Amino acid sequence: MAVTSSLRPETVVPRLRGRFGHPYLFVDVCPSTQRLLRDEHSEGAVALTEEQTEGRGRLGRRWSSPPGVSLLFSLLLEPPVETARLPELTLVAGQAGAEAVAQVTGLAPEIKLPNDILVGGRKTAGILAEARDGRVVLGIGINVNVPAPDLPEDIDPPATSLLLETGSEVDRVELLVELLDLLERAYDEWVATTGT
């Protein structure tokens, strides 16, 4: 079976299982998906791109990837919890991300606190949560089908991709759909146990 390469709405939206991903905002290239989610959007909105020109991770570090080989998206959340609890969302997303990678690839990812997902001790994903006015924009970047020459060399832990770890291309649509489904369930459970 050929791996689906397009993350356009017509490919992804029909496969979504829950409320996350509605609306589904897609652009080919943007500085950062974090900036695509605006005041008019509500919880569950997802902004996704094939290429970020100013992607960033924790502590302002740059997150770069060639076009068409990664999952680069942001999810808008409006959790009814105390502000002090919001940092926990990074871990909620990390656990859902690790579980989605495991289910789709058969790999055994680990979480490196506070915001990295590792496979074999190498970084394959990062999560960035930005909160303001009771809203959280959760940015997630996963190195899916990134070939070795295109991975950054100057990071610790060193980078890898699901392509390198599995030896074959991974269906990005399948991974995105699984991740949004698992993240929605984990988020709802977290809200139910921590809500105000």
Side-chain angles (χ1 to χ4, degrees), residues 71-94:
L71 273 184
L72 306 167
F73 70 96
S74 295
L75 168 67
L76 176 61
L77 299 172
E78 298 173 311
V81 303
E82 297 173 11
T83 304
R85 308 296 305 257
L86 294 179
E88 296 172 19
L89 275 173
T90 301
L91 184 56
V92 171

Side-chain angles (χ1 to χ4, degrees), residues 21-173:
H22 303 284
Y24 182 86
L25 313 169
F26 174 87
V27 294
D28 287 308
V29 183
C30 70
S32 169
T33 57
Q34 299 286 88
R35 299 183 206 161
L36 297 177
L37 296 170
R38 306 191 187 284
D39 291 344
E40 67 266 21
H41 297 118
S42 57
E43 181 167 276
V46 166
L48 187 138
T49 189
E50 290 288 10
E51 181 181 11
Q52 285 188 139
T53 56
E54 297 173 22
R56 57 194 158 67
R58 190 167 161 265
L59 305 177
R61 294 187 183 106
R62 196 156 189 284
W63 179 282
S64 60
S65 172
V69 292
S70 296
L71 273 184
L72 306 167
F73 70 96
S74 295
L75 168 67
L76 176 61
L77 299 172
E78 298 173 311
V81 303
E82 297 173 11
T83 304
R85 308 296 305 257
L86 294 179
E88 296 172 19
L89 275 173
T90 301
L91 184 56
V92 171
Q95 290 170 330
E99 191 176 335
V101 167
Q103 288 193 17
V104 171
T105 66
L107 296 170
E110 302 168 341
I111 296 170
K112 177 178 181 275
L113 297 175
N115 70 328
D116 292 339
I117 298 174
L118 310 182
V119 176
R122 301 169 73 86
K123 180 173 177 172
T124 191
I127 297 157
L128 178 67
E130 295 181 322
R132 62 183 177 273
D133 302 325
R135 294 158 60 100
V136 177
V137 177
L138 201 59
I140 299 176
I142 304 176
N143 295 329
V144 184
N145 296 319
V146 185
D150 291 328
L151 289 167
E153 297 177 352
D154 55 346
I155 64 168
D156 182 35
T160 189
S161 70
L162 301 182
L163 168 68
L164 296 180
E165 298 299 324
T166 62
S168 59
E169 284 197 6
V170 172
D171 185 331
R172 293 184 302 151
V173 175

